[in-house]
Amino acid sequence: MNILFVCSRNKWRSTTAETIYKNHATHQVRSAGTEPSDRIKLTEKHLFWSDIIFVMEKKHRQRIIAKFGECITDKQIIVLDIPDEYQYMDEDLIEELNAKTQDYL
């Protein structure tokens, strides 16, 4: 399964998720951001590649739908409700990611 994690700037939350799941035995993982200042910009290519999309906040899902609506008609987008208050590889962030994705991974 191809899994995409999305946050605003692709610096802390989605990048942490990509890092902790990148060596998963049965999944391929990537991350991207929705803001002009993001590290890796979300593109149609990311969306076509993904089987499931995890977004950190509702606003990320809304931005994806607004910009790429035609590309995601058959995609499952899961809102994790993880606020932008963590640094890269924060232990609490890792715990929250594991807890909120365990039913899907």
Side-chain angles (χ1 to χ4, degrees), residues 4 9 23-25 50 53 59-60 62 66 72 75 78:
L4 178 63
R9 293 179 310 277
N23 294 320
H24 195 281
S50 65
I53 303 163
K59 69 180 179 182
H60 301 126
Q62 293 166 337
I72 57 163
K75 302 292 179 174
I78 309 299

Side-chain angles (χ1 to χ4, degrees), residues 52-56 61 76-81 100 104:
I52 188 168
I53 303 163
F54 290 104
V55 298
M56 300 300 152
R61 180 179 62 194
Q76 185 176 16
I77 301 176
I78 309 299
V79 179
L80 298 175
D81 288 319
K100 292 185 174 182
Y104 303 96

Side-chain angles (χ1 to χ4, degrees), residues 5-103:
F5 288 95
V6 177
C7 69
S8 297
R9 293 179 310 277
N10 188 232
K11 291 184 180 176
W12 298 328
R13 295 174 289 172
S14 60
T15 306
T16 297
E18 181 179 14
T19 299
I20 64 175
Y21 294 116
K22 70 180 176 185
N23 294 320
H24 195 281
T26 59
H27 304 309
Q28 298 295 315
V29 181
R30 294 183 185 167
S31 67
T34 61
E35 295 291 323
S37 61
D38 51 16
R39 190 178 65 85
I40 296 175
K41 187 169 298 309
L42 180 65
T43 65
E44 286 184 2
K45 186 176 178 180
H46 289 111
L47 299 171
F48 285 126
W49 171 85
S50 65
D51 295 312
I52 188 168
I53 303 163
F54 290 104
V55 298
M56 300 300 152
E57 300 174 60
K58 291 177 186 175
K59 69 180 179 182
H60 301 126
R61 180 179 62 194
Q62 293 166 337
R63 289 176 185 158
I64 292 171
I65 292 168
K67 188 171 183 179
F68 302 105
E70 295 177 11
C71 300
I72 57 163
T73 55
D74 63 338
K75 302 292 179 174
Q76 185 176 16
I77 301 176
I78 309 299
V79 179
L80 298 175
D81 288 319
I82 298 176
D84 192 8
E85 58 188 40
Y86 299 101
Q87 298 290 318
Y88 177 69
M89 296 303 288
D90 182 297
E91 289 182 24
D92 292 334
L93 173 57
I94 292 170
E95 284 182 31
E96 197 164 351
L97 284 164
N98 284 327
K100 292 185 174 182
T101 60
Q102 70 181 352
D103 290 343

